Amino acid sequence: MGILDRLFGGRFTLPPPQETTVSDAAIMRELHPYRPGLKAFAQAILAGTPEDERARLIRRVLRKYGSGEDPTTALVEGVLDVDRGQKLEHLALLGVDWKGFDGFEYLAPCLVRACGVQETYAYQHEGELSMPQVLARFDQWLAAFGKRYLHLNTGGDEYVGFIVDSDRVETTIELAQQAGVEVSLDSF
């Protein structure tokens, strides 16, 4: 700036910045508009986990969101992290690859048990169904117990979802919209 200032006769001086009357909370709301909705949505998904575990995972999700991730990525990475994410005995969010039949076979019974269904879910991969078809059959099986499997749109080739009570499907979808996350009964 010094050289330009001398070349053009001192015309490059800027006035001091004006003080803003906006609070820090208002600035954070503007920068992270989905934070309250994301917190409520994460609490709804993690409702079956113990209080301390739920609080830890919600802090992880909000930290990821605060660092610049979009709400869906923050939720998925915060909860499904292999090292610091959810524990298997409190599984709330299921994530499998488009050919992750082995992972589904292992994780689906854990998810069913964690959501409170006493009956054991048994899946054997037969090779003829695609992952969306497997998940649709899983949803049909859950419907007999008053539960539904909701799919979360990650924008990738993985299938991520969670189980909710049948009477809470619409409420959960509305919470997801407030969080900036796309959720549906049908796979994406």
Side-chain angles (χ1 to χ4, degrees), residues 104 108 111-112 121 134-142 149 163:
F104 179 77
L111 183 65
V112 167
Y121 178 74
V134 168
L135 292 171
R137 284 193 178 176
F138 180 55
D139 181 46
Q140 290 171 352
W141 183 85
L142 286 168
Y149 183 80
I163 297 175

Side-chain angles (χ1 to χ4, degrees), residues 139-150 163-173 185:
D139 181 46
Q140 290 171 352
W141 183 85
L142 286 168
F145 300 99
K147 307 278 186 186
R148 296 301 302 264
Y149 183 80
L150 287 177
I163 297 175
V164 296
D165 293 330
S166 295
D167 59 342
R168 301 216 15 99
V169 169
E170 292 301 320
T171 307
T172 305
I173 291 173
L185 282 169

Side-chain angles (χ1 to χ4, degrees), residues 29-130:
R29 276 193 304 274
E30 190 67 30
L31 290 174
H32 304 292
Y34 295 116
R35 185 178 175 84
L38 184 59
K39 183 176 183 179
F41 182 58
Q43 286 174 338
I45 290 174
L46 300 168
T49 60
E51 181 64 35
D52 56 338
E53 179 70 6
R54 180 174 49 236
R56 182 184 71 82
L57 290 172
I58 289 171
R59 280 192 309 271
R60 283 185 51 75
V61 169
L62 294 178
R63 194 176 316 119
K64 293 232 179 241
Y65 179 62
S67 69
E69 298 288 350
D70 65 280
T72 304
T73 304
L75 181 68
V76 171
E77 288 181 2
V79 176
L80 291 181
D81 186 299
V82 175
D83 297 325
R84 291 182 252 163
Q86 65 187 343
K87 294 181 174 46
L88 191 58
E89 63 268 12
H90 306 298
L91 196 67
L93 193 64
L94 175 70
V96 292
D97 197 57
W98 67 282
K99 285 192 167 188
F101 300 104
D102 292 339
F104 179 77
E105 183 177 352
Y106 175 69
L107 293 173
C110 298
L111 183 65
V112 167
R113 194 173 330 117
C115 80
V117 175
Q118 298 302 318
E119 179 118 3
T120 303
Y121 178 74
Y123 168 75
Q124 294 268 329
H125 179 59
E126 298 160 3
E128 59 203 36
L129 299 176
S130 66

Side-chain angles (χ1 to χ4, degrees), residues 3-19:
I3 294 173
L4 293 176
D5 190 42
R6 282 183 278 177
L7 280 174
F8 296 105
R11 290 182 289 178
F12 282 100
T13 58
L14 294 173
Q18 295 178 354
E19 268 309 304

